[in-house]
Amino acid sequence: MGLVLLASAWHSVQAFDWWLESALALVFLMVLACTYRKLALSDLSYLLIFIFIGLHEWGAHHKYASVPLGEWMKPWFGTTRNDYDRLMHFAYGLLLAYPMQEWFVRSAGVRNGFRYFLPIQFTLACSAVYEILESWTASVLSPAHGQEFVGMQGDIWDAQNDMFVAAIGAALAMAMLAWVRAREGVPEPAGRPVDRSLHSKESGRPEGESGLRA
């Protein structure tokens, strides 16, 4: 992950924007590192987080409104807007809903339908907080270029659309996960205490999906 951050920062289009875009990601990674011993996640969750951070840092490197993939996507969607930022909001819900669910199950003993409902709600809540923080930052640091700073690109409903696609991504992830578990006949977790649900007795490693089946 350190190499991804360094590669993203190296010769970024605008260093100041890179720091702004990467600040929350850096805080998130520090939280994961500090809580690893007490709240370690499964390998699958860390893989999904790694993919998301990697995609996010690519956007931070190029500046979201100018990411090459977004430029290539314009003819596909018939738009003049670079939609890479919207793709990333969708990826946020799609890729991070499973780690959210794992955290809810292990730390709070959430089970049954709530284990699929809460990650979607949490995705919406985090998206709303992010949009608010982004607007506040723009009003303080760049009031004359607020729309450019938040990446509206002419879309007056940018914040609402970003939140919507994030929720769609999370709902899709939960629907696929529920379908896979139903097909495999995986029972709902019993909601074990956090100290017994984080690590297996044999190896001390996070139990991952198999641990959520007990």
Side-chain angles (χ1 to χ4, degrees), residues 112-172:
N112 300 325
F114 282 105
R115 72 190 295 208
Y116 301 102
F117 177 73
L118 286 180
I120 300 173
Q121 295 302 305
F122 194 67
T123 297
L124 274 171
C126 290
S127 297
V129 171
Y130 175 81
E131 296 295 340
I132 293 171
L133 291 175
E134 187 179 49
S135 64
W136 285 353
T137 303
S139 65
V140 172
L141 298 180
S142 184
H145 304 282
Q147 292 190 21
E148 180 182 354
F149 182 85
V150 300
M152 291 179 64
Q153 300 184 69
D155 182 3
I156 62 172
W157 305 110
D158 177 67
Q160 291 83 354
N161 288 328
D162 288 346
M163 293 167 59
F164 175 71
V165 296
I168 292 297
L172 181 60

Side-chain angles (χ1 to χ4, degrees), residues 1-10 18 22 25-26 29 53 56-57:
M1 186 58 70
L3 292 176
V4 170
L5 292 170
L6 289 174
S8 174
W10 183 256
W18 182 90
S22 301
L26 291 170
L29 291 175
I53 295 295
H56 167 72
E57 288 304 312

Side-chain angles (χ1 to χ4, degrees), residues 99-113:
M100 292 178 193
Q101 186 192 84
E102 187 178 345
W103 185 86
F104 279 123
V105 170
R106 291 179 170 184
S107 64
V110 175
R111 54 180 175 174
N112 300 325

